[in-house]
Amino acid sequence: MQGLRFSEYKGKSQSTFDRLLEVFKELLLHTSGDVDEAIDWLRALDQEYELSTKDYTIDDFIEDLKKKGFLREEIDDGGGSGLAMTAKTERAIRHRALEQVFGKLKKSQQGNHQTKHAGPGDENSSDHRPYQFGDSLEQIDMPQSLKNAYANNGIDDLRMSQDDLVVNEQFYKAQLSTVLMIDISHSMILYGEDRITPAKRVALALAEFIKTRYPKDTLDIIVFGNDAWQIELEEVPYLKVGPYHTNTVAGLDLAMDLLRKKKNSNKQIFMITDGKPSCLHEPDGSYYKNSFGLDDYIVGKCYNRAAACRRAGIPITTFMIAQDPYLQQFVEHFTQANKGKAFYTGLNGLGDFIFQDYENNRKRRIN
């Protein structure tokens, strides 16, 4: 008899090294790139869950990491030595973050955001339109134009006129510039909840997604606490929360400065935060701080920056991790001032929201 046979599902087989590497990459993200701490955690997990085998121990794994270029010996300022991540490991962490957050995405051709408007562009489509004065000869679809000439005049009187000519429709390509703001204030690790690791994972995944799928798009990453500063992609795995307040205004000012330098017209800001704005950097160099409630002075400055971004054509999408009603009310008013969007999301859904919004903005804003 012929039919279907069902058996127990067996996942893709992994070597002990590959299995340990997946765990190790996750630990590196949680320990902010501290290799020694990650190894300590790995040994603890091995004792509890028996990740290694008698034939392949954690020490064997560490030696393989060195041989395969994942770890390197590093001399610290005090003359001591230790292990550090290599660029290969940083790339592996980004790739893992992409798979975790966005799923396994197929690479598309190198490309960018297509506009809805046709015209002299740099990518052909399957559509045609009549020839117009000013179209280049390269755009003319000669086979289709000859077919039109034959259909209009017949084989006995074959001649071609401008009415027979058709050109390949083309689309402009455009870039989308994104600034991702990450809150690194102390509240990102308060109450026993690690909020900074999911934020780092999303930043790494978004960067890897843009680099592989939309290589002409730009992504700048900034962090904000008492102040704001730009960080390179390679620094993200090492990012730590500090004893900071939340200077949202400084983050927005820096984001706008970065976007002003972009020549393309499609720009946006993504902001990941879990707390209320509680700090300002005053012109005289001092800091105005208030951690108790929403300070009208600080909040007013935030609304002003949101409105300035709106006037500059820069939408802000806020991903609010905290669920406090009064903070959500602030985000609602902030979003109204910018005419942007806000998502109130838990840690697990953060990446999904950002991915979907990036794709939606890509389709909507390129025009």
Side-chain angles (χ1 to χ4, degrees), residues 160-178:
M160 183 178 291
S161 67
Q162 181 175 328
D163 294 336
D164 300 320
L165 297 177
V166 292
V167 298
N168 288 311
E169 193 67 283
Q170 292 185 313
F171 293 91
Y172 289 104
K173 288 183 178 180
Q175 292 175 308
L176 177 61
S177 293
T178 302

Side-chain angles (χ1 to χ4, degrees), residues 67 136 140 155 199 260 342 352:
K67 293 176 183 177
S136 66
I140 297 176
I155 192 66
R260 287 191 191 100
D352 294 336

